[in-house]
Amino acid sequence: MPESVVEIVRMCLGFFLVIFGYIASIGERYLGMPLVGAREQPTGIRNGFVATLGGVLLISTSVQRFFLLGLPLILISVILQAIVLAHLKKKAKHFIGKEGMATTDMKRKCSGFADFNGKKTKVYAEMDIQVGEMVYVSDLEGNIIKVKKLK
């Protein structure tokens, strides 16, 4: 049982950070875009996991609390990430290899648009692509669709 107001505030803030970390890391992974640092971290999860870890450190004021509360909270975060990643891999399996045509000029590592069976879709180029060139989906990271030129 918490013994002081400081202890209660620490526990509440810790649980808030853990919940925020879960939501942020799932959102970052699923959307394929982090809350901070898009260039360094294109697939997400680092920010959410850091928030979860910070919450666990606030909650775990002793070794006993770490093993009773902190470690299970970290394991839940890892399990949630595995579930989201499995869902994204299943989604990617059906989409990778799909062919379309570039509707905008795209520089390497920049976004643009491509037409897949009459549907204009925002894509992320892995190489320089000109308007009208045929492209195919090479990878899918969250909602980021990566394309390359057809040879």
Side-chain angles (χ1 to χ4, degrees), residues 21-41:
Y22 290 167
I23 293 168
S25 62
I26 289 169
E28 289 172 335
R29 172 72 78 178
Y30 188 77
L31 296 175
M33 47 192 270
L35 297 175
V36 179
R39 288 269 186 220
E40 297 79 27
Q41 181 191 347

Side-chain angles (χ1 to χ4, degrees), residues 72-89:
L73 291 172
I74 291 172
L75 290 175
I76 290 170
S77 178
V78 171
I79 291 167
L80 287 173
Q81 288 302 314
I83 291 169
V84 172
L85 190 60
H87 173 73
L88 291 174
K89 283 184 179 181

